[in-house]
Amino acid sequence: LRKQMSFLSPSLRYVREQRHNIDLHEFFAELIEFYRDRLEKNKIVMRLSCVESVPFVVFMNRGKLTQVIDNLVLNSEYWLKEDIAQKRLQSGTIIVDISRPFLRISDDGNGIDPSVELAIFEPFVSAKAKGQGRGLGLFIVKQLLDSEGCNIGLLPERNQKQRLFKFQIDLRGALHE
């Protein structure tokens, strides 16, 4: 419970607009530890990849950033669990690549259904089974990032199934100089 509360506290309404300097290497080291047990139970690991060893600090609201990453991780987890259940994968990996001024988040699952790839950030767009999602998660992610002067998109790179699979968050609007 303590672990969950410490994760959620930055998202509470009364601290939602406060901005802080966030070292992304430290931020993701904490998040990976937070998700570790739950993901491992589902045969999923989360891996951090950093091209540079220099600090990457952003000035933004920690709760908003936490919510953004949580929505992306939950999406990856959902689809990786589906792939594992359907025996398309034995295990899954979520990859977070930190490369200033970008964060790239991807997984080794099927990728994004082509029927929704052009509208994935629009409200009520989802490829999940009926009753499994409302199609608001990525819309909310985009809105939260917009409110911080940042943006998210899909990279044109396609996976082995010829599907888009890599989200790129542009954090230039929150860079701490």
Side-chain angles (χ1 to χ4, degrees), residues 61-117:
N61 180 268
R62 188 177 182 88
K64 287 181 184 179
L65 182 59
T66 300
Q67 186 66 55
V68 164
I69 302 307
D70 192 51
N71 279 354
L72 293 169
V73 170
L74 288 172
N75 267 353
S76 282
E77 181 183 20
Y78 174 88
W79 290 110
L80 287 170
K81 284 169 54 176
E82 288 287 309
D83 287 343
I84 292 167
Q86 298 296 318
K87 305 215 183 298
R88 291 185 292 256
L89 288 175
Q90 289 187 355
S91 62
T93 304
I94 300 170
I95 301 116
V96 176
D97 177 30
I98 298 175
S99 181
R100 183 183 172 104
F102 303 109
L103 288 178
R104 294 180 187 98
I105 299 176
S106 60
D107 61 58
D108 58 356
N110 254 1
I112 295 170
D113 189 303
S115 68
V116 298
E117 69 182 27

Side-chain angles (χ1 to χ4, degrees), residues 32-173:
I32 288 171
E33 185 59 35
F34 173 79
Y35 289 117
R36 184 181 323 278
D37 292 341
R38 189 182 82 222
L39 291 175
E40 283 180 357
K41 287 178 189 170
N42 293 306
K43 300 179 185 175
I44 301 169
V45 296
M46 192 168 168
R47 197 178 77 224
L48 182 61
S49 171
C50 302
V51 177
E52 305 118 5
S53 59
V54 296
F56 180 1
V57 177
V58 292
F59 185 70
M60 66 187 303
N61 180 268
R62 188 177 182 88
K64 287 181 184 179
L65 182 59
T66 300
Q67 186 66 55
V68 164
I69 302 307
D70 192 51
N71 279 354
L72 293 169
V73 170
L74 288 172
N75 267 353
S76 282
E77 181 183 20
Y78 174 88
W79 290 110
L80 287 170
K81 284 169 54 176
E82 288 287 309
D83 287 343
I84 292 167
Q86 298 296 318
K87 305 215 183 298
R88 291 185 292 256
L89 288 175
Q90 289 187 355
S91 62
T93 304
I94 300 170
I95 301 116
V96 176
D97 177 30
I98 298 175
S99 181
R100 183 183 172 104
F102 303 109
L103 288 178
R104 294 180 187 98
I105 299 176
S106 60
D107 61 58
D108 58 356
N110 254 1
I112 295 170
D113 189 303
S115 68
V116 298
E117 69 182 27
L118 294 176
I120 197 79
F121 298 105
E122 297 297 319
F124 311 112
V125 173
S126 179
K128 291 179 180 175
K130 191 169 182 130
Q132 294 295 312
R134 291 179 231 121
L136 292 173
L138 293 174
F139 172 72
I140 290 169
V141 162
K142 183 156 181 42
Q143 297 301 307
L144 290 170
L145 287 167
D146 285 349
S147 75
E148 293 287 336
C150 302
N151 202 354
I152 187 169
L154 284 168
L155 290 178
E157 179 182 345
R158 295 192 179 262
N159 65 11
Q160 69 280 3
K161 303 246 183 197
Q162 295 307 306
R163 291 179 168 203
L164 299 176
F165 72 105
K166 195 176 285 189
F167 292 93
Q168 177 171 275
I169 300 172
D170 183 343
L171 294 168
R172 283 181 278 203

